[in-house]
């Protein structure tokens, strides 16, 4: 059965030029004009990379702190021993502690968006890995969420850190701000994110690294972008 397209969505499609590949500047300007929901929509970027994540040396994964933030309120939990837990709380962590947080996770109570842990607590965190993994909440050194510098990790998570990871098909999807942000703020976040992706290009990746890229809002059609321009953002 074909999916019914709403009049609102059809109207948005008509605002886009058919089969046009947009420059970054035009795409950002255009995406702001697609706001149509009753809430502050997220500006989302989707990319297909020319990598094969089945090979460890072609996995693209990391994190980046967006200069204008994400526009989202992020709840942060930290699993650490006494002094480090206190340090995390002082930095603004919503939850900080040891076994009590693990017990809550095991019981299905997950009241946070980001989980940070010190390396010495990862054995304990590993016990609830099957719960955290599918939700994308497992701490990882590559995203800066396994660290002794818990204060910095909390500040990053609260201040606009975005984690990214290619799926098995080589796709990356991330929110890079809100449609209410100024064009300058979205541009700054966009360029920072693309630089982070380009920096992660695996040496084993052959050919054009970024195959396709598009910008959209939570409730809008996608705007196809000029990948050659994106490859030059270093």
């Amino acid at each position: 059965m074909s999916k019914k397209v709403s009049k609102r969505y059809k109207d948005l499609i008509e605002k886009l030029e058919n089969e046009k590949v947009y420059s970054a500047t035009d795409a950002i300007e255009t995406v702001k004009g697609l706001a149509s929901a009753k809430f502050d929509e997220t500006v989302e970027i989707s990319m297909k990379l020319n990598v094969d994540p089945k090979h460890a040396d072609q996995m693209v994964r990391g994190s980046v702190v967006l200069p204008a933030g994400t526009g989202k309120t992020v709840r942060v939990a930290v699993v650490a021993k006494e002094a480090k837990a206190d340090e995390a709380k002082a930095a603004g962590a919503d939850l900080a502690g040891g076994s009590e947080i693990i017990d809550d996770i095991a019981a299905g109570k997950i009241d946070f968006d980001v989980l940070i842990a010190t390396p010495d607590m990862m054995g304990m965190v590993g016990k609830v890995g099957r719960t955290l993994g599918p939700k994308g909440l497992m701490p990882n050194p590559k995203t800066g969420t396994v660290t002794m510098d818990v204060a910095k990790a909390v500040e990053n998570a609260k201040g606009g850190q975005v984690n990214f990871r290619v799926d098995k098909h080589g796709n990356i999807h991330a929110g890079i701000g809100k449609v209410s942000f100024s064009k300058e703020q979205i541009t700054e976040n966009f360029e920072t994110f693309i630089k982070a992706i380009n920096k992660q290009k695996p040496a084993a990746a052959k050919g054009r690294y970024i195959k396709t890229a598009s910008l959209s809002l939570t409730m809008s059609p996608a705007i196809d972008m000029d990948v050659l321009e994106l490859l030059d953002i270093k």
Side-chain angles (χ1 to χ4, degrees), residues 169-182:
H169 302 296
N171 299 310
I172 277 183
H173 186 89
I176 57 167
K178 296 289 183 179
V179 72
S180 61
F181 283 17
S182 69

Side-chain angles (χ1 to χ4, degrees), residues 31-56:
V31 86
K32 279 187 65 66
L34 296 181
S36 66
K38 292 176 181 175
F39 60 92
D40 192 7
E41 294 177 78
T42 299
V43 179
E44 301 176 357
I45 185 164
S46 296
M47 309 170 78
K48 186 170 183 65
L49 304 183
N50 192 16
V51 296
D52 184 354
K54 289 198 293 286
H55 301 289

